[in-house]
Amino acid sequence: IKMNVDNFRIRNATLSDIDTLANVEAQCFPVKEAATRESIAERVKFYPEGFWLLFDGEKLISFVDGLVTDNPNLEDIMYEQAAMHQPNGAWQMIFGVNTIPDYRKKGCAAKLINAVIENARKNKRKGVVLTCKEKLLHYYSQFGFVNEGISDSTHGDVLWYQMRLTFK
């Protein structure tokens, strides 16, 4: 399918998006790694502005989410403790980059990651932090993220690497 991601719109989450977000999350991550509907609902309640949703028409095709904190490292507890969100925190965390299968490798995730980076800069954060699997280190490095090595995360019983984009 030929598509122009420039025509897709981005907006923040609302409570009415929870079921759709949970559905997309379930398509993108194995059960042990995916956020539950309850966890997504809690996150949307505490920080709807920490969700960037990409739509093709009315269809949610991709989203990125994460809280803001003064803690410089992404810790597993943050996934479940939405109340840890600090609206004026120094670091924007990225918990998940989700794109439904039919829209992968077409620039959807990149459009959202760039929107998150732009938002973090605009809000005078120190930078953006994420964890990823080894096979994605190269992908995130193209946005300026630097690999800080293996993270302490045991999320989903997977080996995660922490990456950081620090603003100058």
Side-chain angles (χ1 to χ4, degrees):
I1 310 170
K2 193 84 172 120
M3 57 185 72
N4 182 356
V5 297
D6 294 334
N7 296 334
F8 298 166
R9 66 186 172 87
I10 298 175
R11 69 164 170 81
N12 296 123
T14 65
L15 294 174
S16 63
D17 294 314
I18 293 168
D19 288 333
T20 312
L21 288 164
N23 181 296
V24 169
E25 178 88 8
Q27 291 180 59
C28 296
F29 285 101
V31 172
K32 288 175 86 170
E33 296 169 38
T36 62
R37 184 197 179 284
E38 292 70 29
S39 176
I40 290 169
E42 195 71 358
R43 293 177 193 179
V44 172
K45 196 170 81 184
F46 277 93
Y47 49 90
E49 75 285 358
F51 280 78
W52 289 264
L53 284 57
L54 186 65
F55 288 86
D56 180 1
E58 294 302 307
K59 183 178 189 173
L60 178 63
I61 56 171
S62 188
F63 77 91
V64 171
D65 73 298
L67 56 68
V68 173
T69 178
D70 281 330
N71 186 331
N73 297 308
L74 201 168
E75 297 176 3
D76 286 351
I77 184 116
M78 294 175 182
Y79 294 118
E80 298 307 322
Q81 298 290 326
M84 291 177 77
H85 176 64
Q86 298 172 282
N88 299 313
W91 297 97
Q92 172 68 58
M93 300 292 156
I94 291 181
F95 291 165
V97 176
N98 301 264
T99 303
I100 61 174
D102 289 351
Y103 285 82
R104 291 185 185 153
K105 300 195 182 332
K106 296 177 177 19
C108 297
K111 184 177 175 86
L112 288 176
I113 292 164
N114 284 321
V116 173
I117 292 168
E118 194 178 303
N119 181 272
R121 272 190 208 283
K122 189 184 81 189
N123 287 300
K124 310 271 188 276
R125 311 275 184 231
K126 288 184 180 174
V128 183
V129 178
L130 59 82
T131 58
C132 68
K133 295 173 184 165
E134 187 173 19
K135 67 180 182 188
L136 290 169
L137 290 169
H138 175 75
Y139 177 74
Y140 291 112
S141 68
Q142 67 192 0
F143 297 95
F145 286 89
V146 175
N147 179 9
E148 296 183 329
I150 295 170
S151 131
D152 293 334
S153 177
T154 57
H155 183 71
D157 299 325
V158 176
L159 184 65
W160 299 96
Y161 290 80
Q162 180 163 283
M163 297 193 80
R164 181 182 311 273
L165 171 61
T166 306
F167 301 143
K168 299 291 177 252

